[in-house]
Every structure is written in structure tokens, then in C-alpha cells.
Amino acid sequence: MDIRKLHYFIAVAEELNYNRAAEKLNMTQPPLSQQIQALENELGVKLLDRNKRYVRLTPAGSVFLQEAKMILSQLERSIKTTQLASQGISGHVIIAFVDSAAGGLMVDILKVFRERFPQIQLTLREMTSAQQGQALLDGTIHVGFLRSIEPGKHIDCRALVSESLVAALPEQHPLAKLPSLSVSSLEEEPFILFPRHLGSSFHDLIIGFCAQHSVYPNVVQEAIQMYTIVNLVAANLGVSIVPSSVSVFRRSGVVFRPFKEETPPVPLYAAWRTDVHTAALSAFLEIVQEMSLAAS
């Protein structure tokens, strides 16, 4: 069906006058009448009752008017979406993140991206670094914000920020009164830590930092999410060592204290597949690069 016939029919149906509709369409009345007749013949349905005194929609014409408007509206959206996609301001990006990244640069990146590209659909998934690495390999996510990654075939990454480690203590803990503390002061404390099998590099970073100062954590509880760890500390089940960005959680019953010793850096990476080429993903990675350069 010629799309122009839908425009012709809608004009006549809205004006209920062939002469006015023809003027609106910048054409003469006879060709317009012929086009409406051809449309009715194509559909096998009478859309308009007309004589010398009036033009009015048939019941079928009323239904077809709504359908024709919907068709043209959808076509217009499809054209616009395609054009926007070619400009990098439409599409879909699936992003995974470790929960400890939710209070830092990643949030700023998402905010700026949403302001600049409101047409792009973002899907956010919370995953551990190990889960993100597998999801990138599987192609089920486009970008990951994670603590460790090994670049490989079709996988690239960029270091965004580097944080320090801080102690998370129950609010009533004697060490919570101090502005900073030594790692050795945690020697006899029960620890709540991230499990090694879900992120060996981050787990080993903390254990290695403690061992460097002759502290060997007594791990009494493991938890996957940083927010869960913070809640368990608030419940006085133990202490923990977490990235400094976790302090933005501001959970009552918990205090965060820096260490007197220099802590190993805790990097946050953005990783993505290099064999996926969409305007939406390219636009997102440009924001990642821009924001990471500004933060460095």
C-alpha cells in the first residue's frame, strides 16, 4: 500500500470536505477523489459516505482512521529512531557493575550520559567482577565496571580511578573513636570479607595488605555485596576492610576510618567488547573516556 494514500485519507477524514483536504495537501480535488477510491478498492471496504451535501466516515472508516494514524506515527518513530541511532543518540547499552562502584565515578558517568543521550536505553545489572568477566565473554553485557579484568581477544579495558582501603567498624567499637588506625589494631578482630572464589584479586589484595603488617584476618562471615558487608558490620558481627567509595553508603551503626599505613590501590576498570560496533556503545565509551580523564 502506498503510504501517500494514508495521508490523503486522513486529510479527508479530518476535514470531511474534499476541497479543503485537497488545499491542505496542495493538490486538486479530482486526483484526491481518485486516490480515496483506489484506497477503498484496495481494501475492499467503503471508508467514506459522500454526496453533494456531505462527507462522513463509515464505521469501518472510523476504525481505519485510527489505524492509519497509528501506522504513520509508528513509521515516523521508526525513521527517527533509525536516524538517531546513526548519530549515536539512540539504541541500547547493557551495563554491569560491582556494588562498590555505585558511589563513585560510575554514577557521574551515567548521569552525564543520561543528560546527553536521553534516547538511549540503559539496562543496569549488579554483578561481581568474575561474573562480569564471563558476561563480557558471553556477550550478554556491553560494558562492565569491575575491580579486576584480564584483557583478551575482543575485550579491552580502561582504568578509571584508584581508591584506598578503609576500615569499616561498628559504631560502638573502641577503635571507632580514633580518627585513623593501624592495621595491627585489627589483629584479634572477627572479619567479614568478600569471598575469594567470586573475586580472588580483590580478596587477595586485602589479605595481602593485612599480611604485609603481620595481620592474618579471622574471617567469620563472607558476603558478596559490599552493602551486605556494611550491614553485617552494623550488626556488630565483625569488622571489614573495604574500598573508600563504600563509605558513601552512610549506613547508621557503621563508621569508616582510614589506615595510618599506605594501602595498596584499589582500581576500578571499565571493560567492553571490541567486536561490538554500535553508535550507542561508542557514545557511552566516549563519555567513559572523557570522565575518566577529568577525574585523573
Side-chain angles (χ1 to χ4, degrees):
M1 178 181 291
D2 190 341
I3 293 296
R4 289 177 297 178
K5 291 178 182 176
L6 298 182
H7 287 288
Y8 298 152
F9 170 71
I10 290 172
V12 175
E14 290 180 340
E15 296 293 337
L16 295 178
N17 183 290
Y18 275 82
N19 288 326
R20 290 198 301 269
E23 291 177 4
K24 185 177 182 179
L25 295 166
N26 294 316
M27 62 190 299
T28 59
Q29 186 270 331
L32 178 58
S33 297
Q34 292 171 9
Q35 290 293 329
I36 298 300
Q37 183 65 54
L39 177 61
E40 290 180 322
N41 291 338
E42 186 175 350
L43 294 173
V45 174
K46 189 175 180 61
L47 300 173
L48 295 162
D49 282 329
R50 51 198 179 273
N51 57 34
K52 293 182 180 180
R53 290 179 295 143
Y54 63 81
V55 177
R56 62 190 179 195
L57 288 165
T58 65
S62 295
V63 172
F64 189 71
L65 175 61
Q66 300 304 315
E67 294 296 325
K69 287 182 176 180
M70 289 176 59
I71 290 170
L72 291 180
S73 178
Q74 179 59 51
L75 178 61
E76 183 179 348
R77 284 197 300 271
S78 298
I79 293 172
K80 184 176 181 181
T81 299
T82 301
Q83 292 172 336
L84 291 175
S86 70
Q87 301 169 33
I89 52 176
S90 184
H92 184 203
V93 181
I94 304 173
I95 300 167
F97 62 96
V98 291
D99 67 333
S100 60
L105 181 61
M106 186 195 76
V107 175
D108 296 331
I109 290 172
L110 293 176
K111 181 180 179 181
V112 171
F113 186 75
R114 173 55 67 211
E115 290 173 350
R116 294 188 192 176
F117 304 104
Q119 296 287 348
I120 293 181
Q121 178 186 350
L122 294 178
T123 297
L124 301 177
R125 297 176 179 172
E126 189 173 329
M127 296 181 178
T128 66
S129 294
Q131 290 170 334
Q132 289 185 54
Q134 188 59 52
L136 284 167
L137 291 174
D138 295 341
T140 54
I141 63 173
H142 296 125
V143 181
F145 289 92
L146 62 178
R147 292 296 178 185
S148 62
I149 183 68
E150 293 185 10
K153 186 178 180 180
H154 303 314
I155 303 293
D156 200 358
C157 68
R158 181 184 185 90
L160 300 181
V161 292
S162 184
E163 303 175 37
S164 60
L165 292 172
V166 297
L169 306 167
E171 190 174 34
Q172 302 304 318
H173 195 286
L175 294 174
K177 299 177 182 178
L178 303 175
S180 63
L181 53 88
S182 175
V183 185
S184 60
S185 63
L186 300 178
E187 185 174 6
E188 302 297 328
E189 299 292 334
F191 270 76
I192 304 165
L193 290 183
F194 185 84
R196 190 178 191 278
H197 70 277
L198 290 178
S200 59
S201 61
F202 180 61
H203 182 277
D204 292 349
L205 182 78
I206 294 174
I207 297 298
F209 171 57
C210 292
Q212 183 182 355
H213 300 282
S214 301
V215 175
Y216 303 94
N218 173 29
V219 181
V220 298
Q221 181 66 51
E222 293 184 330
I224 298 173
Q225 308 300 337
M226 287 294 159
Y227 192 70
T228 302
I229 290 175
V230 170
N231 281 331
L232 293 176
V233 171
N236 202 24
L237 296 182
V239 302
S240 190
I241 297 177
V242 297
S244 56
S245 61
V246 175
S247 61
V248 302
F249 290 163
R250 298 189 182 280
R251 168 60 159 93
S252 61
V254 175
V255 297
F256 299 93
R257 294 291 182 262
F259 289 104
K260 294 178 179 179
E261 299 86 355
E262 182 179 356
T263 70
V266 185
L268 177 68
Y269 298 94
W272 61 91
R273 290 191 64 95
T274 57
D275 59 340
V276 177
H277 305 287
T278 67
L281 178 57
S282 296
F284 187 82
L285 293 177
E286 286 178 8
I287 299 296
V288 169
Q289 181 176 11
E290 176 188 330
M291 298 293 290
S292 61
L293 287 174
S296 61

